[in-house]
Amino acid sequence: MTTPARTPRDRGPRTTDQTRRAAGGGAPRKPRGRSGAPKQARTAVPEAAEFTVVQATPSRPPAATFAELELPKGILSALGRQGVTEPFPIQGATLPDSIAGRDVLGRGRTGSGKTLAFGLPLLARTAGKRAVARYPLALVLVPTRELAQQVTEALTPYATAVNLRITTVVGGMSINKQANAVRRGTEVLVATPGRLDDLIGRGDVNLSDVAITVLDEADQMADMGFLPQVTKLLEQVAEGGQRMLFSATLDRNVDRLVKRFLNDPVTHSVDPSAGAVTTMDHHVLQLEPADKASAAAHIASRDGRVIMFVHTKHGADRLAKQLLANGVKAAALHGGKSQPQRNRVLDQFRDGHVSALIATNVAARGIHIDGLDLVVNVDPPVDHKDYLHRGGRTARAGESGTVVTFVLPEQRREVNRLMTVAGIRPTVTKIRPGDADLARITGARTPSGVPVTLAVPVAQAAAAAGTTGSADSTSGGRGGAKAGAPRRRSGKRSGLPTDVDMNGNPRRPRPKQRMGAAAQGERPQAAGFIGRSSGRAKPGSGSKTGGNYGTGRQRRSFD
């Protein structure tokens, strides 16, 4: 479409909209784009919904006590022995529906008891059944090894009460031991998607008998890229079985799983999104890059334990070394460590041998530390869900805690947006190492500056001592013998002559090593010689023309 050009007399001086309205020229001209169409007003992109709302059959009324639920007597007795007398809100809301076999979408704040919310109905509905080798009856999928171990530890007393076997299958540990455990038979399998997929590929596990499937922290599995593996695993479980999805945050990332695999699910959200952290005090500490490491050392020197989150495993190792050099007993926890190393670090932190745990997001979910009242985001999280789960390591089970986030000048805008999405209004303070405000908020103290080292665990030291003792005893020394223990006498020697073997046949002396198998009259060649040869070498001679060229293996004939 061609627009007719205006004549020179039509062209007048340009006027603003205010001048046009004062002159009675009508409404101002609408701005137009390059194509001539009016420009559309920019609209803010809405954030992803915090919870997937699914229309379903109305849910059952919540339960006020465990006694009114259809739970086996063994589980009720185990609850009493564990001191669990009343259900938490997420448990009271979901248990009536999950025990009845309904598919469930549940969300509750971190530390609110989601593990028992899906674990009790899973065990109750599996009780009385027996699994055959390699065919589990119930499956719990979790994103991290630590969360898998936490789920296993939480459910083991109740599984034992109803005579059910529970097995953990995670990466970083011996796959053969895990395969043997599944081959012996297990009713409940707690697994990470990657390792379970490996075992299925080896033929060690078959999911065709799985009637109950649970996805714990379903949104994190979707965010971490496990969605294809999770989909592949859910396709292998028994059709028509029960599926339950639980997490502290459920958003639209799990919509595909919900729509494809859940049948008429009931949704329970006992806490709003920001409610997951309402029992915490939130502080944003603005500081300069040069003061970041020193401020972290001051906080880590406090009287009490603290978890500090960083982005990368190299950053965790670096900060842990810096804190050790400043006199703080610190240890790093990240995905680059083996599972035994990670377990040892967590045990040291729980026992108080380590006061500062430097972790990546691997510890943001599934780590439960009693009495932890401070979490520090040395590196701000990427999104609000990571913030909620990092902060969820404190203020668990109704307790209070403090979450502190370091913010550099170039990070202020991103952190402000993150807090807005999370529905949090933190207290913002500008600090420097040694400030009174830093000590008031976190209990920071000046580090001693005397380098410290972590003591070797007793079990590891004993194993190392046993290895040294074995080496000493092998070499003839007495370093490996226990104090006061009698010296072991050597066995009785044979009375046969040295020139005969144990059958009385004469011993044949071992032939000496000869040089290369070159023809007589020629210069001998060393074994494995690569170079000019006579051309008459046999295969395996190690020469250039042999069948085992350059391997050094020779065929020898002894006269």
Side-chain angles (χ1 to χ4, degrees):
M1 177 178 177
T2 304
T3 303
R6 291 184 296 173
T7 58
R9 61 183 178 183
D10 292 332
R11 297 190 184 103
R14 295 182 179 178
T15 59
T16 62
D17 292 340
Q18 291 82 357
T19 305
R20 292 171 58 89
R21 286 193 296 268
R29 185 183 303 171
K30 293 183 179 181
R32 295 181 178 270
R34 294 182 179 179
S35 61
K39 291 183 178 180
Q40 299 293 332
R42 294 184 179 181
T43 58
V45 180
E47 297 292 338
E50 281 297 329
F51 195 76
T52 304
V53 180
V54 181
Q55 298 297 330
T57 305
S59 61
R60 290 171 170 77
T65 62
F66 289 110
E68 63 185 83
L69 298 170
E70 297 179 2
L71 292 173
K73 293 182 179 179
I75 292 181
L76 292 175
S77 300
L79 287 169
R81 290 192 298 269
Q82 297 294 322
V84 183
T85 57
E86 296 181 358
F88 286 168
I90 185 66
Q91 299 167 0
T94 59
L95 284 175
D97 290 310
S98 56
I99 292 177
R102 290 280 304 274
D103 288 358
V104 175
L105 273 170
R107 186 188 70 187
R109 62 180 177 83
T110 301
S112 61
K114 294 189 300 297
T115 302
L116 290 184
F118 65 75
L120 294 182
L122 181 147
L123 297 175
R125 302 190 69 233
T126 310
K129 301 178 182 178
R130 203 66 177 171
V132 299
R134 301 188 301 111
Y135 287 80
L137 303 180
L139 174 64
V140 180
L141 288 176
V142 296
T144 64
R145 312 171 198 172
E146 284 75 19
L147 185 55
Q149 291 183 338
Q150 178 180 321
V151 170
T152 302
E153 293 174 359
L155 298 185
T156 296
Y158 310 102
T160 304
V162 290
N163 197 25
L164 293 178
R165 296 165 293 180
I166 183 169
T167 302
T168 306
V169 171
V170 296
M173 303 182 72
S174 173
I175 190 173
N176 292 326
K177 292 182 179 179
Q178 296 174 357
N180 292 335
V182 178
R183 288 195 195 102
R184 289 192 294 267
T186 182
E187 284 74 41
V188 181
L189 188 63
V190 181
T192 53
R195 176 52 60 92
L196 180 57
D197 191 40
D198 293 339
L199 290 173
I200 292 175
R202 288 166 39 122
D204 296 323
V205 180
N206 192 300
L207 302 181
S208 58
D209 287 351
V210 172
I212 303 175
T213 307
V214 177
L215 269 66
D216 194 13
E217 305 294 358
D219 62 326
Q220 187 186 16
M221 284 192 278
D223 295 341
M224 294 175 66
F226 290 151
L227 197 58
Q229 285 181 324
V230 172
T231 302
K232 179 180 177 182
L233 295 173
L234 291 178
E235 290 173 346
Q236 302 178 47
V237 302
E239 294 184 3
Q242 182 183 18
R243 281 100 181 203
M244 293 181 279
L245 273 69
F246 280 82
S247 179
T249 57
L250 285 175
D251 54 27
R252 293 179 179 175
N253 292 331
V254 298
D255 270 355
R256 283 179 287 178
L257 294 177
V258 173
K259 294 178 180 178
R260 181 172 178 182
F261 296 106
L262 270 67
N263 179 30
D264 190 22
V266 57
T267 300
H268 291 284
S269 177
V270 299
D271 294 302
S273 175
V277 287
T278 52
T279 57
M280 307 174 194
D281 294 329
H282 302 273
H283 293 270
V284 169
L285 303 184
Q286 298 178 349
L287 72 171
E288 297 297 324
D291 297 332
K292 187 174 181 179
S294 180
H298 279 70
I299 295 176
S301 301
R302 68 193 294 266
D303 184 14
R305 293 175 298 176
V306 58
I307 293 183
M308 294 185 167
F309 284 100
V310 295
H311 281 322
T312 65
K313 59 183 180 181
H314 301 293
D317 289 333
R318 182 171 58 251
L319 181 56
K321 291 179 181 179
Q322 292 173 354
L323 294 178
L324 288 171
N326 280 280
V328 180
K329 292 183 177 180
L333 179 69
H334 52 70
K337 293 182 177 291
S338 65
Q339 192 59 41
Q341 290 174 327
R342 290 158 70 166
N343 293 340
R344 183 167 61 250
V345 169
L346 286 174
D347 290 340
Q348 290 176 331
F349 188 62
R350 289 190 177 100
D351 297 340
H353 294 92
V354 170
S355 59
L357 181 64
I358 316 304
T360 57
N361 280 337
V362 71
R365 307 193 189 202
I367 302 301
H368 176 71
I369 306 295
D370 292 326
L372 183 67
D373 61 350
L374 179 62
V375 170
V376 178
N377 294 312
V378 178
D379 294 333
V382 176
D383 58 23
H384 69 286
K385 290 187 294 183
D386 289 338
Y387 183 90
L388 299 180
H389 286 289
R390 286 183 179 186
R393 299 314 98 201
T394 184
R396 300 177 69 85
E399 298 180 355
S400 59
T402 302
V403 182
V404 171
T405 303
F406 286 176
V407 178
L408 303 180
E410 63 273 13
Q411 298 172 334
R412 294 178 183 177
R413 178 175 297 179
E414 296 178 0
V415 172
N416 289 340
R417 180 180 179 275
L418 181 148
M419 296 294 180
T420 301
V421 174
I424 297 169
R425 294 183 178 181
T427 303
V428 180
T429 309
K430 291 185 178 181
I431 59 98
R432 294 199 63 187
D435 285 353
D437 288 337
L438 183 63
R440 174 181 55 82
I441 296 171
T442 65
R445 299 187 302 184
T446 304
S448 65
V450 179
V452 295
T453 57
L454 296 179
V456 180
V458 177
Q460 184 178 0
T467 305
T468 305
S470 301
D472 292 341
S473 61
T474 304
S475 61
R478 300 186 183 182
K482 295 182 179 180
R487 184 178 179 182
R488 184 178 179 182
R489 301 181 62 180
S490 60
K492 185 178 180 181
R493 296 184 179 181
S494 174
L496 295 175
T498 58
D499 58 344
V500 296
D501 59 15
M502 61 182 299
N503 296 321
N505 300 320
R507 294 181 182 274
R508 295 185 59 186
R510 180 176 298 178
K512 296 182 179 180
Q513 177 72 28
R514 296 185 179 184
M515 302 299 289
Q520 295 182 359
E522 295 185 2
R523 185 176 181 180
Q525 299 174 352
F529 174 76
I530 300 176
R532 184 177 181 182
S533 64
S534 62
R536 296 192 296 273
K538 297 179 181 180
S541 65
S543 65
K544 185 177 179 180
T545 58
N548 292 327
Y549 170 70
T551 62
R553 296 192 295 270
Q554 301 181 15
R555 294 182 181 178
R556 306 181 180 89
S557 61
F558 305 106
D559 297 332

